[in-house]
């Protein structure tokens, strides 16, 4: 047995470090790359309203539930369910989480690799003077290439593995604490520039004026999936992080702060992107390429845009990194604690096997573009299936577990730190996890399947 197994478990060493690491997991490409194009494709303002409802009514309770399970058991998701429900099939949720982590990294690393390419393009000043069409051609050309997207993906995976190898405190806390606030500042500057573009106000109305006729089964499912994805919930990342949270921290407050910060960043990203989309006449249906086309266009219009774009893409890559480490950690913790592997071997094995499949996702617009199902390539399939299916299904079972299986006394004990903080919200919380959240998730699926209305 590895000697590390005998040492006390790692934990976050300060409150700020803990929030920063958890927010670092939540805030990533989901907010800055995925939220804008998904919101754009699904009706803008109406999507935002549904999204916010899901964050508040389902997301925060699921996040609290994951923290409860993780901190109570001090285990990875799979081991956590085995410990709380011995001999029962609940461990399958943990198992599904490990699988979801694997699948998310397959497409996530591809996009993270794109951010590295765009750091490089910033340095060589490649955006200068390009029209929107030219920037689109540039992005498409890169993504269709057979080497570069793959190479960057592998580089990114290696970076992630390297940090995960350094362990929890030294690896994760140290970097996020400094860099996330800088990213936030840069996004706010981008917002100011975007808001002062001529013709930008149309973009704001698009994001903030809901047109509810745009809502259908697909948009509602996309909003639910995006809420889960952006908050890092539904697959046990936050069970794992919960296991590193110290006994004296307030789990509900942590969930609330992290969720609000995450939502705030997504909205700020939207406020930068949509005014620019309208001001520059960029095709809002640019899908996965949207922010990689719009952002360079904004940088062009800024004094010091060269330095700015360089810094921005570096920090975006860092934001992606603090997310990928939290996802890889789920797979590694499972290998170490359940399969009794040494941490180093576990990390390398996970990174290599994810990259091996990830190569096909990275080549989804290149040589693997013929590998499609229902008209979607491998990247799009893993993206859709994990975000819109695996995460909400995982979340469904997590709230059912807390609401119906785990003794309410245990949940109350964790949320109140053994009675030392008041939890007047507890009955409401229990009502949500028992009824509201699982029923809402089930209804979203039924609605999407067209079982009622549409
Ligand atoms: N939330 C992260 C983002 O927005 C991605 C992420 C990290 C994630 N850990 C996760 C998504 C766990 C789902 C589950 O970029």
């Amino acid at each position: 047995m590895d000697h590390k197994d005998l040492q006390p478990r790692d934990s976050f060493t300060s409150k700020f470090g803990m929030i920063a690491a958890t927010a670092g997991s939540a805030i990533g490409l989901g907010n800055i790359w995925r939220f804008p194009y998904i919101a754009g494709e699904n009706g803008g303002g109406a999507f935002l309203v549904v999204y916010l409802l899901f964050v508040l009514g389902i997301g925060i309770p699921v996040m609290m539930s994951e923290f409860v399970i993780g901190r109570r058991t001090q285990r990875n998701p799979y081991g956590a369910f085995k410990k709380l429900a011995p001999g029962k099939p609940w461990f399958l949720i943990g198992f599904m989480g490990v699988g979801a982590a694997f699948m998310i990294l397959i497409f996530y690393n591809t996009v993270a690799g794109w951010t590295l390419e765009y750091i490089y393009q910033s340095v060589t000043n490649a955006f200068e003077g390009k029209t929107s069409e030219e920037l689109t051609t540039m992005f498409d050309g890169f993504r269709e290439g057979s080497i570069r997207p793959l190479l960057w993906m592998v580089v990114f995976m290696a970076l992630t593995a390297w940090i995960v190898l350094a362990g929890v405190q030294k690896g994760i806390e140290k970097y996020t604490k400094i860099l996330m606030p800088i990213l936030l500042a840069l996004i706010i500057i981008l917002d100011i520039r975007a808001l002062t573009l001529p013709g930008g106000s149309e973009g704001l109305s698009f994001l903030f004026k809901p047109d509810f006729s745009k809502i259908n089964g697909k948009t509602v499912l996309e909003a639910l999936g995006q809420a889960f994805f952006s908050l890092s919930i539904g697959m046990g990342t936050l069970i794992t992080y919960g296991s590193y949270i110290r006994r004296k921290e307030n789990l509900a407050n942590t969930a609330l702060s992290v969720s609000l910060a995450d939502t705030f960043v997504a909205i700020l990203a939207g406020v930068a992107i949509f005014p620019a989309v309208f001001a520059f006449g960029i095709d809002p249906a640019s899908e996965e390429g949207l922010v990689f086309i719009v952002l360079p266009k904004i940088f062009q219009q800024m004094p010091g845009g060269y330095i700015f774009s360089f810094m921005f893409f570096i920090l975006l890559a860092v934001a992606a990194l603090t997310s990928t480490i939290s996802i890889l950690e789920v797979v590694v913790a499972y290998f170490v604690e359940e399969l009794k592997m040494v941490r180093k071997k576990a990390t390398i094995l996970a990174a290599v096997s994810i990259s091996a499949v990830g190569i096909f996702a990275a080549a989804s617009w290149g040589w693997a573009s013929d590998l499609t199902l229902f008209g979607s390539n491998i990247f799009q399939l893993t993206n859709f299936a994990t975000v819109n299916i695996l995460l909400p299904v995982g979340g469904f079972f997590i709230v059912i577990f807390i609401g119906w299986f785990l003794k309410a006394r245990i949940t109350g004990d964790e949320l109140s730190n053994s009675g030392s903080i008041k939890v007047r919200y507890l009955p409401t919380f229990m009502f949500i996890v028992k009824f509201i959240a699982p029923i809402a998730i089930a209804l979203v699926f039924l609605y999407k399947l067209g079982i009622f209305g549409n």
Side-chain angles (χ1 to χ4, degrees):
M1 187 193 278
D2 176 25
H3 69 282
K4 277 197 179 134
D5 289 344
L6 303 173
Q7 290 174 352
R9 214 177 148 78
D10 274 345
S11 70
F12 295 122
T13 47
S14 73
K15 189 180 170 68
F16 184 69
M18 171 199 63
I19 303 241
T22 315
S25 163
I27 299 169
L29 297 172
N31 310 58
I32 295 162
W33 158 73
R34 200 173 190 281
F35 174 79
Y37 89 81
I38 294 290
E41 277 174 4
N42 290 286
F47 175 89
L48 182 60
V49 171
V50 180
Y51 175 79
L52 292 176
L53 284 176
F54 286 155
V55 168
L56 285 176
I58 306 178
I60 294 173
V62 172
M63 191 182 284
M64 289 164 65
S65 304
E66 290 200 24
F67 284 162
V68 165
I69 296 169
R71 195 172 65 175
R72 186 72 184 181
T73 56
Q74 300 286 302
R75 291 283 152 80
N76 69 84
Y78 175 87
F81 283 107
K82 281 227 144 156
K83 187 164 171 184
L84 289 175
K88 301 256 165 41
W90 288 104
F91 69 88
L92 291 173
I93 306 172
F95 203 63
M96 191 171 88
V98 176
F102 203 95
M103 267 174 82
I104 288 178
L105 282 176
I106 287 171
F107 74 89
Y108 203 94
N109 278 331
T110 297
V111 186
W114 298 350
T115 66
L116 298 182
E117 167 77 12
Y118 271 62
I119 295 174
Y120 170 77
Q121 300 290 1
S122 304
V123 175
T124 58
N125 210 4
F127 310 136
E128 175 134 307
K130 288 213 165 65
T131 63
S132 310
E133 289 74 36
E134 285 167 333
L135 287 168
T136 309
T137 314
M138 183 178 129
F139 176 77
D140 288 341
F142 155 66
R143 182 165 80 155
E144 285 157 16
S146 41
I147 312 249
R148 293 174 82 94
L150 281 61
L151 208 64
W152 287 127
M153 184 277 291
V154 172
V155 169
F156 202 89
M157 182 82 254
L159 272 174
T160 306
W162 175 62
I163 294 184
V164 166
L165 266 180
V168 179
Q169 303 170 0
K170 276 177 277 144
I172 304 174
E173 263 183 87
K174 199 166 90 189
Y175 302 97
T176 36
K177 271 200 281 216
I178 323 162
L179 296 170
M180 288 301 101
I182 307 182
L183 177 64
L184 189 64
L186 291 194
I187 299 176
I188 292 174
I189 300 175
L190 272 180
D191 283 343
I192 296 171
R193 175 67 270 213
L195 287 172
T196 49
L197 287 169
S201 58
E202 228 179 302
L204 273 193
S205 334
F206 177 74
L207 183 60
F208 292 114
K209 273 216 192 116
D211 167 4
F212 289 109
S213 68
K214 296 214 174 116
I215 290 198
N216 57 38
K218 177 173 176 292
T219 55
V220 174
L221 182 66
E222 293 275 7
L224 181 68
Q226 177 62 26
F228 272 71
F229 183 70
S230 194
L231 296 173
S232 299
I233 55 178
M235 54 155 254
T237 286
L238 297 186
I239 295 182
T240 308
Y241 271 37
S243 74
Y244 304 133
I245 298 179
R246 292 176 302 177
R247 291 263 159 229
K248 61 179 181 205
E249 309 291 359
N250 183 331
L251 295 180
N253 278 355
T254 306
L256 197 64
S257 322
V258 170
S259 303
L260 292 182
D262 183 72
T263 306
F264 184 60
V265 174
I267 293 177
L268 285 183
V271 170
I273 298 293
F274 290 113
V277 166
F278 284 86
F280 299 126
I282 291 167
D283 185 3
S286 310
E287 296 192 320
E288 302 94 350
L290 187 66
V291 300
F292 290 94
I293 297 162
V294 175
L295 289 173
K297 221 37 221 168
I298 307 180
F299 297 136
Q300 283 176 357
Q301 311 288 318
M302 291 171 64
Y306 173 77
I307 303 282
F308 209 85
S309 68
F310 171 66
M311 275 172 60
F312 183 87
F313 283 114
I314 288 192
L315 289 168
L316 185 58
V318 172
L321 198 55
T322 55
S323 299
T324 51
I325 51 188
S326 78
I327 309 176
L328 188 64
E329 180 67 27
V330 173
V331 183
V332 171
Y334 170 74
F335 284 174
V336 171
E337 287 168 21
E338 304 306 323
L339 307 182
K340 303 283 174 244
M341 276 184 210
V342 183
R343 195 167 171 93
K344 187 165 180 188
K345 183 173 156 201
T347 310
I348 293 172
L349 181 69
V352 169
S353 51
I354 292 165
S355 304
V357 191
I359 281 178
F360 291 90
S364 284
W365 291 269
W367 49 262
S369 63
D370 287 339
L371 297 173
T372 57
L373 193 67
F374 315 119
S376 300
N377 60 35
I378 296 196
F379 177 98
Q380 290 159 337
L381 287 171
T382 44
N383 183 345
F384 186 90
T386 46
V387 173
N388 295 326
I389 301 170
L390 289 184
L391 298 179
V393 169
F396 176 84
F397 285 110
I398 288 167
V399 283
I400 294 279
F401 181 77
I402 291 284
W404 296 93
F405 184 84
L406 193 69
K407 288 199 182 68
R409 184 184 52 75
I410 296 185
T411 306
D413 194 57
E414 279 302 323
L415 290 175
S416 70
N417 295 351
S418 311
S420 62
I421 37 182
K422 282 216 172 66
V423 281
R424 248 171 277 144
Y425 61 79
L426 195 63
T428 318
F429 171 79
M430 288 310 291
F431 186 75
I432 293 178
V433 291
K434 263 193 161 125
F435 302 105
I436 310 270
I439 293 176
I441 296 172
L443 286 181
V444 170
F445 279 112
L446 295 178
Y447 187 34
K448 170 67 172 75
L449 294 172
I451 307 286
F452 64 90
N454 216 336

